[in-house]
Amino acid sequence: MICLGIESTAHTFGAAVIRNKEVLSNIKKSYTTESGGIVPQKAAEHHVAEFDTIVKDALEKASLSIKDIDLITFSNAPGLGHTLRIGAHVARSIAVLHDVPIIGVNHCIAHLEIGKLLTKAKDPVLLYVSGANTQVIAFEGGKYRVFGETLDTGIGNFIDTFARYIGLGFPGGPKLEKMAYLSENYIRLPYNVKGMDVSFSGILTKLKRLFDESKHKTEDLAYSMQETVFAMLLEVSERAMAHCGKKELLLGGGVACNTRLQDMAKKMCEERGAECFVLENQYNVDNAAMIAHLGLKMFKAGVRHDIDMPIDPYERTDDIEVSW
Ligand code: ATP
Ligand code: FE2
């Protein structure tokens, strides 16, 4: 079966074509800003302007035409209402025009499922670290459950806010990563793990204050920030692995591109006799291949959705009954 997937939960609009378990194309374009954060309306306008070219590129790269598509899937949750709606409209229009079935999928679960497809992971704990999301997810009792999460902002948004404060553009994560490699001078920061959850706002306040005092090198702040928040995330991930008796950790989300986080995760897994799986960057960041893959998997397991399958900006990972 050939499936076209559409991703539009936030600043990225993506289209991908897969043939069963083979990714034939995975195209995306992201709305970015020089300063300030994402304005949902602007991101939606970006998607409206770009979707046509992105879908065409995905088909062309796969050497297929729209008539070859057997199924269309889209991320219907969770995310920004403004942008989710654009993806839903695009998917519904193609489904109606070409008379193909449609499936709406949960974006967070798609991150985990693409990891299982592209690595040898069978039943991993997923540390999902993106702009808006920070969750530790694992399959237990028929559902994907959130074992720990952020109590305030997502880690990527936290990193980007700090980066913006010190004058770096958006996204700031890759720039701070490079800077952090220039230092090994740890400055003590708050370490905020509360049970299985983490929080970043106190650390952000402290970092801003330290930056304003100008007593420390920016590289030292970048280094200390990474060491602290990555240790927090891996503490919670390790506890979830111990609790569920799982021996695999999968990293996902844009922040999973960070090589320091990857190294720390590998070390933690090594020490507890577990395996750590890291994806290629194109599958860490928001992408439509994962939406195509999960939707097709659901369809093959018998899941059917109506053409007016609604979007749900606030759907929780464990709202979904897993029948596939
Ligand atoms: P979601 O809708 O799933 O929350 P998103 O729209 O935030 O996703 P992603 O592409 O998953 O998009 O993640 C983007 C985030 O990843 C940004 O905050 C960016 O700074 C961060 N990021 C990307 N590369 C790195 C890196 N090397 N180190 C740290 N953070 C990174
Ligand atoms: Fe994501």
Side-chain angles (χ1 to χ4, degrees):
M1 264 185 103
I2 296 173
C3 172
L4 171 68
I6 303 285
E7 157 63 28
S8 75
T9 51
H11 67 302
T12 299
F13 190 94
V17 180
I18 62 167
R19 181 188 285 123
N20 298 316
K21 293 186 171 177
E22 186 193 356
V23 180
L24 302 179
S25 65
N26 185 31
I27 309 288
K28 67 174 173 60
K29 207 160 174 194
S30 299
Y31 162 77
T32 56
T33 58
E34 288 300 319
S35 60
I38 302 183
V39 179
Q41 181 59 33
K42 294 265 179 240
E45 283 164 16
H46 165 269
H47 295 356
V48 169
E50 300 289 350
F51 79 84
D52 196 30
T53 319
I54 296 169
V55 170
K56 278 183 185 147
D57 282 359
L59 289 166
E60 201 170 297
K61 179 92 194 294
S63 305
L64 294 170
S65 103
I66 193 82
K67 299 209 168 20
D68 299 314
I69 301 300
D70 303 306
L71 174 72
I72 177 142
T73 69
F74 71 106
S75 45
N76 76 307
L80 302 172
H82 288 74
T83 60
L84 282 169
R85 231 162 257 132
I86 308 304
H89 281 310
V90 172
R92 288 181 196 134
S93 309
I94 298 175
V96 169
L97 223 64
H98 298 280
D99 195 24
V100 285
I102 194 167
I103 293 281
V105 314
N106 178 289
H107 173 98
C108 306
I109 297 177
H111 272 290
L112 200 145
E113 292 282 358
I114 194 80
K116 287 203 302 191
L117 174 73
L118 299 176
T119 70
K120 292 200 174 72
K122 291 202 170 50
D123 182 22
V125 166
L126 170 71
L127 173 58
Y128 173 30
V129 278
S130 67
N133 292 293
T134 302
Q135 299 183 332
V136 176
I137 303 171
F139 189 72
E140 278 287 298
K143 283 182 170 183
Y144 283 106
R145 298 185 190 271
V146 178
F147 284 85
E149 63 192 314
T150 177
L151 297 172
D152 40 49
T153 68
I155 178 160
N157 289 351
F158 152 77
I159 292 175
D160 293 335
T161 307
F162 177 55
R164 226 167 20 239
Y165 193 78
I166 66 174
L168 307 174
F170 170 84
K175 290 175 189 157
L176 282 171
E177 177 185 10
K178 276 205 195 98
M179 238 184 210
Y181 275 117
L182 303 173
S183 163
E184 276 191 6
N185 185 20
Y186 186 75
I187 300 156
R188 210 179 159 78
L189 294 173
Y191 184 91
N192 292 337
V193 173
K194 294 173 187 161
M196 290 296 281
D197 297 324
V198 292
S199 95
F200 301 110
S201 56
I203 305 173
L204 181 63
T205 307
K206 176 81 180 184
L207 280 167
K208 285 179 173 172
R209 194 175 310 147
L210 289 171
F211 179 77
D212 290 342
E213 284 170 8
S214 313
K215 272 197 253 156
H216 303 282
K217 284 205 237 152
T218 317
E219 290 81 359
D220 295 345
L221 296 179
Y223 170 74
S224 309
M225 180 277 286
Q226 285 199 169
E227 296 301 303
T228 307
V229 296
F230 294 165
M232 284 162 40
L233 293 169
L234 290 170
E235 180 189 329
V236 176
S237 305
E238 184 172 19
R239 215 159 332 119
M241 290 167 82
H243 175 78
C244 305
K246 297 201 196 285
K247 293 255 171 216
E248 299 171 335
L249 178 69
L250 172 70
L251 302 184
V255 181
C257 299
N258 187 291
T259 52
R260 178 60 185 149
L261 175 64
Q262 293 174 2
D263 289 346
M264 286 169 79
K266 283 176 193 156
K267 186 140 191 263
M268 180 272 275
C269 286
E270 218 173 270
E271 281 172 5
R272 53 178 298 114
E275 241 186 303
C276 179
F277 296 95
V278 175
L279 291 161
E280 252 179 68
N281 282 350
Q282 64 163 322
Y283 300 111
N284 278 326
V285 297
D286 285 350
N287 67 90
M290 66 183 192
I291 305 302
H293 170 62
L294 174 55
L296 182 54
K297 197 169 180 183
M298 290 163 69
F299 187 80
K300 284 185 173 173
V303 176
R304 295 293 179 268
H305 288 158
D306 291 333
I307 188 72
D308 55 356
M309 169 76 184
I311 60 157
D312 184 351
Y314 301 107
E315 183 174 83
R316 299 272 310 165
T317 303
D318 52 13
D319 285 341
I320 305 291
E321 289 288 345
V322 177
S323 59
W324 56 87

